[in-house]
Amino acid sequence: MPTVKVNADVAINFDGQARTLLDALEQQRLQVNFHCREGYCGACRCKLLHGEIRYINEPLAFVRQGEFLPCCSIPVNDIEIEIP
């Protein structure tokens, strides 16, 4: 069960009950901007500081090096992220 460390102060366990990282973050009442929930718009873009994610659906939105879209991804191992 991967651990997701958020903004260097919150840690949550991704136990597979949430479909995506965005869902898991919302379950913990963490504020993430989003629109489409499918990787089209890029509104939920976050920084991946450490670890590895896997996309459930390959995003169509532009994603820079070091960023990812939590709306269509899950953690592969323990990760550290920054929500803008």
Side-chain angles (χ1 to χ4, degrees), residues 20-35:
T20 64
L21 275 164
L22 178 60
D23 292 340
L25 295 168
E26 287 181 320
Q27 287 175 358
Q28 297 300 312
R29 306 214 191 296
L30 296 168
Q31 184 66 32
V32 181
N33 292 326
F34 68 90
H35 290 286

Side-chain angles (χ1 to χ4, degrees), residues 1-5 11-18 75-79:
M1 173 174 9
T3 299
V4 180
K5 190 170 184 180
I12 63 172
N13 291 320
F14 189 85
D15 58 9
Q17 291 184 17
V76 172
N77 50 28
D78 291 349
I79 63 173

